[in-house]
Amino acid sequence: MATTTETLVWLESGDRLTREDFHRRYDARPDIRRAELINGVVYVPSPTRFDVHDEPATIMVTWLAMYALGTPDVRSGSNASIFLTDDGEVQPDGFLFCDTADASVRRTPDGYLEGAPELVSEVAASSASYDLHDKKELYRRAGVQEYLVWRVLDHGFDWFDLQADQYVRREPDDRGVIASRMFTGLRLNVTALLAGDYAGVIAELTAAEPP
């Protein structure tokens, strides 16, 4: 009796692939929950820890989602596959994009997103993470206007603005707040965030006018 042997499709960190080949392989591996293509190189992250990644990512996604829910023509998401460039397919921890006719982000016929969101947030363990190196460079090349990275183990937060094709790091104001230049009313109390005062983060966002 003839038998059929299924061939396992390989997808491993360090593989160098085109975006099309990466997506084909990733689609064939439902057992891999998260993988990204950064500048043509595959990254398959290790299992995520609650304290170092999952909870901080949830906090940032909640902050972004609350803003999007109250703002017309703005959408938020987390971990969706985004066709960013010819050599980049990412799953950001959180992102915002304008959902208008002339938006930079488009939906593909099969339901993915293509193009650069105006704002992306990532949670990184430390400054050594690829989020602040290879992935940051990919976002810069793609034209992501605001890139936010919470460095959990460093107890630090980076907010980068794209200016003249380069990322410039912004500092909080005297109250510890940074206001988005792309999304009116999106304000982050960085001091409260790093102190674990998440109620203060939400209070800053939902205030009708900044104090």
Side-chain angles (χ1 to χ4, degrees):
M1 179 181 294
T3 60
T4 300
T5 301
E6 294 185 1
T7 301
L8 180 66
V9 176
W10 291 100
L11 186 68
E12 297 183 327
S13 291
D15 289 345
R16 293 184 176 272
L17 302 171
T18 64
R19 184 174 62 75
E20 290 75 14
D21 198 25
F22 165 80
H23 189 77
R24 178 184 61 80
R25 294 191 189 194
Y26 190 15
D27 196 45
R29 290 295 303 270
D31 57 309
I32 298 178
R33 298 185 60 184
R34 186 169 186 178
E36 297 183 305
L37 186 71
I38 310 296
N39 303 318
V41 180
V42 174
Y43 289 80
V44 181
S46 302
T48 57
R49 289 172 286 174
F50 176 76
D51 292 337
V52 176
H53 190 274
D54 185 65
E55 184 178 40
T58 299
I59 292 164
M60 291 300 295
V61 168
T62 300
W63 172 67
L64 294 172
M66 288 184 66
Y67 175 82
L69 287 171
T71 308
D73 298 326
V74 173
R75 305 289 292 276
S76 69
S78 64
N79 293 321
S81 291
I82 301 176
F83 302 159
L84 200 62
T85 63
D86 289 341
D87 61 355
E89 180 178 327
V90 293
Q91 291 178 274
D93 290 328
F95 58 92
L96 288 178
F97 67 96
C98 296
D99 192 21
T100 56
D102 58 349
S104 59
V105 173
R106 304 163 297 280
R107 291 177 181 78
T108 68
D110 47 355
Y112 293 101
L113 296 178
E114 183 175 35
E118 283 81 2
L119 184 149
V120 167
S121 72
E122 298 280 10
V123 171
S126 71
S127 60
S129 170
Y130 79 113
D131 293 293
L132 280 160
H133 297 279
D134 294 346
K135 190 185 254 189
K136 178 185 171 187
E137 171 61 15
L138 176 63
Y139 285 140
R140 183 197 67 79
R141 287 196 296 109
V144 172
Q145 295 296 308
E146 294 184 292
Y147 181 41
L148 287 55
V149 183
W150 184 356
R151 293 178 283 111
V152 178
L153 296 182
D154 291 344
H155 303 289
F157 193 93
D158 300 307
W159 187 308
F160 298 102
D161 274 350
L162 191 62
Q163 300 179 19
D165 198 38
Q166 296 296 324
Y167 275 137
V168 177
R169 188 177 184 274
R170 294 182 58 189
E171 297 294 337
D173 64 16
D174 292 341
R175 298 190 305 107
V177 174
I178 300 178
S180 169
R181 65 181 178 85
M182 298 300 299
F183 295 98
T184 302
L186 179 66
R187 300 183 302 274
L188 179 64
N189 190 322
V190 177
T191 299
L193 179 76
L194 297 181
D197 178 14
Y198 306 132
V201 172
I202 299 305
E204 182 68 38
L205 175 66
T206 57
E209 294 291 340

